Amino acid sequence: FPSHDTRANGYKKWTIEDETELTNYYNSGKSIEDIACIMKRTQGAINSRLIKIGLIDDPEIHKNTDGTV
């Protein structure tokens, strides 16, 4: 992959260190887009991991059956 590819780590397993780094970036107020660039992962991967580790809510959980929030 070229070094500027934001998905260079896209299929790399998340480590405890990665999750700690993600938590630190998120808690410092960085945007999902910035975190994705820094960590070389997609914004979707960042969002999914933030949900998994409990830092953000999964919007799907809060949707009504008709798709509204």
Side-chain angles (χ1 to χ4, degrees), residues 30-67:
K30 291 201 181 308
S31 71
I32 302 299
E33 185 177 6
D34 286 346
I35 297 169
C37 286
I38 293 165
M39 298 190 76
K40 295 183 172 46
R41 293 183 184 264
T42 64
Q43 291 182 46
I46 299 299
N47 275 318
S48 295
R49 187 53 53 159
L50 287 170
I51 290 166
K52 183 166 185 165
I53 60 181
L55 285 175
I56 60 175
D57 282 337
D58 184 345
E60 295 296 316
I61 293 172
H62 302 292
K63 278 190 180 172
N64 296 321
T65 51
D66 63 359

Side-chain angles (χ1 to χ4, degrees), residues 3 17 19-20 23-25 27 29 32 37-38 46 56-57 59:
S3 61
E17 290 79 13
E19 290 185 350
T20 301
T23 301
N24 291 338
Y25 288 140
N27 287 338
I32 302 299
C37 286
I38 293 165
I46 299 299
I56 60 175
D57 282 337

